[in-house]
Amino acid sequence: MQTTSDRKMQPKKMALWLVFLISALVMVYSLAFLQISDRSLIGDRYSSFLDPKLRVVYDDGNPLYGSLDDMQSSSISSAELQSENENWSLTGSESDSSNQCDPQKAALKVYMYNLPPEFHFGMLEWKPESSVWPTNLTQIPRYPGGLNLQHSPEYWLTMDLLSSNMPGRSTPCTAWRVERARDADVFFVPFFSSLSYNRHSKVEPHERKSRNEILQDKLVHFLMGQEAWRRSGGKNHVIVMHHPNSMSIARGQLRSAMFIVSDFGRYSPLIGNVEKDIVAPYKHVVRSFTDDSSSFESRTTLLFFQGAIFRKDGGFIRQELYALLKNEKGVYFTSGNTQSDGIRKATQGMRSSKFCLNIAGDTPSSNRLFDAIASHCVPVIISDEIELPYEDKLDYSEFCIFVQSDDARKKGFLINLLNSIKREEWTSMWRRLKEVGHHFEYQYPTQPDDAVHMIWKAVARKLPSIKLSLHKGKRYSRSWLAKQSKSFFSLQKLVRG
């Protein structure tokens, strides 16, 4: 028989057991979360989105997208694509069976997530057909021009992947779109993040968030729930964020992924860096000089610059150089924009100039460099922090002049330097510009070693370091901490039912 004392002690014992149980759960949760933060780099804001079966839904309750398993089962096969669209064709040359995309020879096997159109072609007013992807790429609306077009790698890479396993592909592929996640080298996230920033950053009346921010939240929510992301910590995922301000809200949570950027001017080194990420060229806005027969003598302007003179951050040097150079003989230095008349004047000016200035602006890079390359005007780069596309394959010193900012600020230094470059040396650089120009061309259908293929090859060159990192991460998979993490996920699954 229990005594009065025993009955009084019972609630205390139960309370102690409850405290112990809660403490144990907190400890397991904390240890597991620390490991997740280290491996997957998941922020506190998204720690509840770890279930791989988690679905995001619209307000009306309809599913937006499901798990990786769901997407694998709904992938469109090549045969289905052919039957759905037998008249599909590409602009350009006729199909050549010897030039077909061979998946066995592809440098990169890519799984592309089936995100709904609001993340990609829906921004171009495209309406879904029978699936989230178009089957007739010749009827896709064009990417918007002007400043939007400069940051369009997201569009060209997605188009290239969609066409890689379609009938009628007439150019060789570097990246091949696989239908099963387990066959992939990397996972491509088809979010037109630059266009989202340019078009949807404004917070509408009576809304707390912009459309751009909502899309970023949904994307993080989705990726954190994918088994492929959790397995690799996101390291084998490719996300395009070419505009310096694109994905500014989500990039911290997704920083373990491989980013495709224009430069690192607005990135913390812990979020974006040249070791893990890819620098892609801007889409130039002037027409390519395809029939260039100019010479040292025919290009009568020594140095050309047309663009915004008054900039912030590192762009203050533009004002200093304007004051130094505006009255120098043979120099054309003026303010300009990307309106039609501005592009026309820039095209004429660059094609009639020996050298074209590329000065740091708000960030280390600008589209002006790629306009100069397309015009075969030898770029003069004054940007100490610039990173250049596929510089591990191209020696830019063969067709560009690099000047340190401190030297450029010295009166007379730049003009004396350029005047010292004579006809033979300049002609050699001009010829090299004509040879490398195709590496900076975005086009559809893609052509061998154009910008799209060069980017995919740059991604492929990152694979060994990604695999090394992932293999090292498995060394202590049997450790106590790893087991606690596994226990946590099992408990979480049990609680959610």
Side-chain angles (χ1 to χ4, degrees):
M1 180 178 291
Q2 289 183 326
T3 64
T4 303
S5 176
D6 290 337
R7 285 196 297 270
K8 288 181 179 180
M9 286 296 294
Q10 213 168 32
K12 292 182 180 179
K13 289 181 179 178
M14 291 179 64
L16 286 173
W17 273 109
L18 183 60
V19 169
F20 175 78
L21 180 60
I22 292 173
S23 299
L25 288 172
V26 169
M27 182 181 72
V28 170
Y29 177 88
S30 301
L31 289 171
F33 186 76
L34 283 172
Q35 186 188 35
I36 296 162
S37 298
D38 179 54
R39 290 190 176 185
S40 302
L41 301 169
I42 299 174
D44 291 342
R45 186 178 182 182
Y46 301 102
S47 60
S48 63
F49 301 153
L50 298 173
D51 188 347
K53 300 296 181 184
L54 188 65
R55 291 175 178 266
V56 182
V57 296
Y58 288 118
D59 291 339
D60 61 6
N62 294 322
L64 169 61
Y65 37 64
S67 69
L68 184 62
D69 296 335
D70 296 327
M71 291 189 293
Q72 285 175 222
S73 63
S74 64
S75 294
I76 307 173
S77 67
S78 299
E80 288 171 326
L81 286 172
Q82 188 169 9
S83 64
E84 288 177 9
N85 191 14
E86 294 180 354
N87 297 321
W88 184 88
S89 64
L90 295 173
T91 57
S93 60
E94 294 297 322
S95 175
D96 178 2
S97 60
S98 65
N99 210 22
Q100 287 290 310
C101 187
D102 183 351
Q104 300 305 317
K105 296 181 180 179
L108 203 62
K109 293 180 174 61
V110 185
Y111 183 90
M112 181 161 64
Y113 285 115
N114 288 333
L115 291 175
E118 66 172 335
F119 285 91
H120 40 84
F121 291 110
M123 295 186 204
L124 304 178
E125 308 307 323
W126 175 78
K127 303 299 182 184
E129 301 166 354
S130 58
S131 68
V132 300
W133 296 115
T135 55
N136 190 336
L137 301 185
T138 61
Q139 296 180 359
I140 293 298
R142 291 184 179 275
Y143 200 90
L147 290 175
N148 289 292
L149 193 61
Q150 299 179 73
H151 300 291
S152 57
E154 50 201 20
Y155 173 80
W156 307 103
L157 291 170
T158 303
M159 293 280 280
D160 186 62
L161 277 182
L162 287 174
S163 66
S164 69
N165 54 8
M166 282 184 169
R169 170 89 179 209
S170 60
T171 56
C173 63
T174 301
W176 174 264
R177 182 186 174 198
V178 298
E179 299 172 13
R180 299 181 304 183
R182 64 174 177 268
D183 296 332
D185 296 316
V186 295
F187 293 77
F188 184 75
V189 181
F191 177 34
F192 290 0
S193 62
S194 296
L195 192 58
S196 178
Y197 170 77
N198 281 326
R199 287 193 162 183
H200 302 305
S201 290
K202 182 180 178 181
V203 179
E204 299 296 331
H206 311 298
E207 297 290 339
R208 293 189 301 173
K209 291 182 177 181
S210 68
R211 183 65 185 161
N212 180 44
E213 184 174 355
I214 291 171
L215 287 175
Q216 290 181 62
D217 285 346
K218 286 183 177 180
L219 183 65
V220 174
H221 187 159
F222 167 72
L223 289 175
M224 294 303 170
Q226 298 311 302
E227 180 64 27
W229 180 279
R230 287 170 49 191
R231 191 183 302 118
S232 69
K235 293 176 183 178
N236 58 3
H237 284 56
V238 179
I239 305 175
V240 184
M241 44 184 78
H242 199 259
H243 192 289
N245 293 329
S246 58
M247 295 286 283
S248 59
I249 296 167
R251 64 176 62 159
Q253 284 75 38
L254 303 177
R255 63 186 180 269
S256 57
M258 184 191 307
F259 298 157
I260 295 178
V261 302
S262 57
D263 61 39
F264 300 104
R266 293 181 181 165
Y267 288 78
S268 157
L270 296 177
I271 293 178
N273 57 76
V274 74
E275 281 72 30
K276 77 174 183 70
D277 301 320
I278 303 294
V279 177
Y282 290 63
K283 174 78 168 70
H284 59 78
V285 296
V286 304
R287 287 185 178 275
S288 298
F289 201 174
T290 55
D291 55 347
D292 182 9
S293 59
S294 57
S295 65
F296 186 76
E297 290 77 18
S298 68
R299 292 188 176 235
T300 54
T301 301
L302 176 67
L303 182 62
F304 180 89
F305 177 89
Q306 177 181 302
I309 295 174
F310 300 97
R311 308 297 289 182
K312 55 190 177 183
D313 300 328
F316 286 123
I317 191 174
R318 292 190 181 186
Q319 300 169 42
E320 298 178 56
L321 292 178
Y322 175 70
L324 282 173
L325 299 172
K326 62 181 180 180
N327 296 321
E328 291 285 352
K329 182 181 178 180
V331 174
Y332 182 89
F333 200 128
T334 188
S335 179
N337 54 46
T338 58
Q339 302 304 314
S340 58
D341 191 54
I343 294 175
R344 181 185 61 81
K345 289 180 178 178
T347 301
Q348 293 176 347
M350 288 183 167
R351 291 185 179 187
S352 61
S353 301
K354 295 179 177 70
F355 300 97
C356 289
L357 269 178
N358 180 73
I359 318 169
D362 295 346
T363 62
S365 68
S366 77
N367 189 57
R368 199 161 289 100
L369 168 62
F370 306 99
D371 284 345
I373 292 173
S375 305
H376 308 149
C377 179
V378 176
V380 179
I381 299 175
I382 305 173
S383 181
D384 298 342
E385 303 299 324
I386 195 169
E387 296 289 352
L388 297 164
Y390 15 92
E391 196 169 8
D392 58 336
K393 291 297 178 181
L394 290 182
D395 181 357
Y396 280 78
S397 68
E398 295 177 348
F399 53 90
C400 295
I401 304 293
F402 292 87
V403 180
Q404 291 183 327
S405 298
D406 289 343
D407 288 334
R409 290 184 171 97
K410 297 174 184 175
K411 185 173 178 59
F413 181 90
L414 198 55
I415 296 301
N416 291 335
L417 172 65
L418 298 182
N419 279 324
S420 71
I421 298 174
K422 302 306 180 185
R423 186 180 193 277
E424 184 178 357
E425 184 179 359
W426 179 88
T427 302
S428 175
M429 301 182 84
W430 169 76
R431 285 175 177 160
R432 185 65 178 136
L433 279 170
K434 294 174 70 175
E435 292 172 355
V436 303
H438 67 290
H439 294 318
F440 303 92
E441 295 290 344
Y442 289 98
Q443 55 202 333
Y444 177 75
T446 54
Q447 299 298 319
D449 290 329
D450 66 2
V452 173
H453 282 189
M454 292 294 281
I455 292 170
W456 286 131
K457 287 180 179 180
V459 172
R461 291 195 294 274
K462 298 284 187 182
L463 284 182
S465 62
I466 291 173
K467 289 180 179 178
L468 176 63
S469 176
L470 293 178
H471 292 169
K472 281 189 173 182
K474 296 178 181 178
R475 288 179 177 180
Y476 301 106
S477 59
R478 299 177 184 274
S479 68
W480 179 85
L481 184 60
K483 290 179 180 179
Q484 302 312 307
S485 176
K486 185 176 181 180
S487 298
F488 164 71
F489 284 117
S490 299
L491 178 64
Q492 185 189 48
K493 187 175 181 180
L494 180 64
V495 169
R496 291 185 175 181

